[in-house]
Amino acid sequence: MHRRKIQGVAMKIMVNGQERSLDAPVSVAALLDELGMTGKRVAVEVNQEIVPRSRHGEFKLNDSDRIEVVFAIGGG
């Protein structure tokens, strides 16, 4: 998997229960891009708080953050 390098200080976060190392600072949008989820209908929670899609680009992640990313499923 090709990983886009984001310049900064190394940090560790948990994404869906798995530890990941990233270079800080990184936004939710950049994380989604790295995970191959850009443009997909997902819900993101950081430390048990939902991050609205409108804030993904500005919301910066910090060392030790716990992120849950779930796919939004539509139904009838």
Side-chain angles (χ1 to χ4, degrees), residues 2-33:
H2 177 68
R3 182 173 170 230
R4 187 173 66 119
K5 186 125 174 117
I6 301 169
Q7 297 299 317
V9 178
M11 67 177 187
K12 292 186 188 269
I13 60 173
M14 294 291 284
V15 179
N16 293 348
Q18 295 185 2
E19 186 176 278
R20 294 185 68 93
S21 293
L22 297 174
D23 291 332
V26 63
S27 67
V28 168
L31 175 64
L32 292 176
D33 184 48

Side-chain angles (χ1 to χ4, degrees), residues 33-73:
D33 184 48
E34 183 170 319
L35 296 172
M37 296 182 177
T38 299
K40 304 215 190 273
R41 294 187 53 175
V42 296
V44 179
E45 182 181 273
V46 177
N47 301 324
Q48 301 182 346
E49 291 188 33
I50 299 228
V51 179
R53 180 183 298 263
S54 62
R55 295 199 53 225
H56 285 184
E58 68 188 46
F59 193 98
K60 300 294 183 203
L61 299 172
N62 297 300
D63 192 40
S64 301
D65 276 349
R66 299 178 81 75
I67 298 98
E68 295 292 325
V69 180
V70 295
F71 285 96
I73 305 294

